[in-house]
């Protein structure tokens, strides 16, 4: 079948058709230029001035640094356990449903 008009590419954010003039490709995903925004401050991003998380969440450099430095690492800044806490969780019983808090790990390490 011959394609007459339009494009089949869809924006990840709004799921609407992306035409070549408004297309922006980042991290192997397609966006409208106006949909390529920081999830924290909602500012429009450019290809050279953005950071993304594994799940595709977009941030401007300022917000990314703010979230990173507030916890001191990427894991806690994005609501996950620190790698040390993941290790302790696995060491203390594998894949248990209980959450290990940082204070519990510090107490266990000091004893």
């Amino acid at each position: 079948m011959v394609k007459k008009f339009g494009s089949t590419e869809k924006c990840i954010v709004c799921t609407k058709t992306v035409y070549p003039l408004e297309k922006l490709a980042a991290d192997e995903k397609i966006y409208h230029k106006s949909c390529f925004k920081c999830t924290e401050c909602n500012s429009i991003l450019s290809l050279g001035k953005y950071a993304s998380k594994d799940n595709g969440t977009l941030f401007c450099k300022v917000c990314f640094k703010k979230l990173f430095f507030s916890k001191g690492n990427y894991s806690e800044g994005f609501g996950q356990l620190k790698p040390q806490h993941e290790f302790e969780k696995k060491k203390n019983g594998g894949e248990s449903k209980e959450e290990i808090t940082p204070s519990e790990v510090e107490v266990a390490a000091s004893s």
Side-chain angles (χ1 to χ4, degrees), residues 32-108:
H32 287 108
K33 290 178 183 176
S34 59
C35 291
F36 195 62
K37 295 181 180 181
C38 175
T39 55
E40 288 291 310
C41 67
N42 219 22
S43 63
I44 294 179
L45 304 172
S46 63
L47 286 176
K49 297 182 180 180
Y50 83 99
S52 65
K53 187 75 170 100
D54 296 337
N55 61 3
T57 310
L58 299 171
F59 299 97
C60 64
K61 297 279 184 158
V62 174
C63 289
F64 191 78
K65 286 180 182 178
K66 180 177 70 174
L67 290 169
F68 170 72
F69 286 124
S70 70
K71 297 291 183 178
N73 64 54
Y74 288 106
S75 300
E76 276 190 306
F78 295 103
Q80 300 170 345
L81 289 176
K82 283 185 180 180
Q84 302 93 315
H85 299 150
E86 287 286 338
F87 175 75
E88 288 293 325
K89 183 177 178 180
K90 288 178 184 175
K91 184 175 145 187
N92 293 334
E95 296 291 315
S96 66
K97 301 253 181 199
E98 293 181 31
E99 287 291 320
I100 298 176
T101 61
S103 59
E104 289 174 356
V105 174
E106 291 167 5
V107 170

Side-chain angles (χ1 to χ4, degrees), residues 1-5:
M1 178 171 235
V2 177
K3 190 169 75 170
K4 292 183 180 181
F5 299 105

Side-chain angles (χ1 to χ4, degrees), residues 16-28:
K16 294 181 181 176
T17 302
V18 178
Y19 297 101
L21 214 59
E22 55 189 13
K23 179 181 172 181
L24 196 138
D27 294 335
E28 299 177 1

